[in-house]
């Protein structure tokens, strides 16, 4: 089953960031996905398939308008 996520969603990854936070915001979507750590604001770009594999769940769904 494919995981569903969207721009500005807050997601939890399988492994926490070294700063101790495991909350990431999706800030760019395309073939690659850029996520930003909610704790230290460090950003990481991952290929979509790698992101889907490493993501655990969506914790906060962004408002859709």
């Amino acid at each position: 089953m494919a995981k569903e996520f969207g721009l500005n969603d807050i997601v939890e990854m399988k492994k926490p960031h070294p700063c101790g936070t495991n909350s990431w915001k999706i800030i760019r979507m395309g073939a690659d996905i850029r996520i930003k750590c909610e704790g230290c604001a460090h950003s990481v770009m991952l290929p979509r398939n790698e992101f889907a594999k490493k993501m655990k769940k969506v914790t906060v769904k962004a408002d859709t308008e």
Side-chain angles (χ1 to χ4, degrees), residues 20-40:
T21 305
N22 196 6
S23 180
W24 299 81
K25 183 176 185 178
I26 299 173
I27 58 173
R28 180 176 178 263
M29 289 187 66
D32 296 325
I33 294 179
R34 182 175 290 274
I35 55 176
K36 186 168 99 176
C37 178
E38 291 288 287
C40 66

Side-chain angles (χ1 to χ4, degrees), residues 3 9 11-13 21 24 26-27 34 36-37 39 41-42 49 51 64-65:
K3 296 178 182 174
D9 285 353
V11 299
E12 181 179 328
M13 305 301 278
T21 305
W24 299 81
I26 299 173
I27 58 173
R34 182 175 290 274
K36 186 168 99 176
C37 178
H42 180 80
N49 60 350
F51 172 81
T64 55
E65 295 179 22

Side-chain angles (χ1 to χ4, degrees), residues 3 12-14 22 52-58:
K3 296 178 182 174
E12 181 179 328
M13 305 301 278
K14 289 183 180 173
N22 196 6
K53 193 170 19 176
K54 291 183 175 179
M55 186 187 88
K56 193 171 183 181
K57 63 182 178 181
V58 175

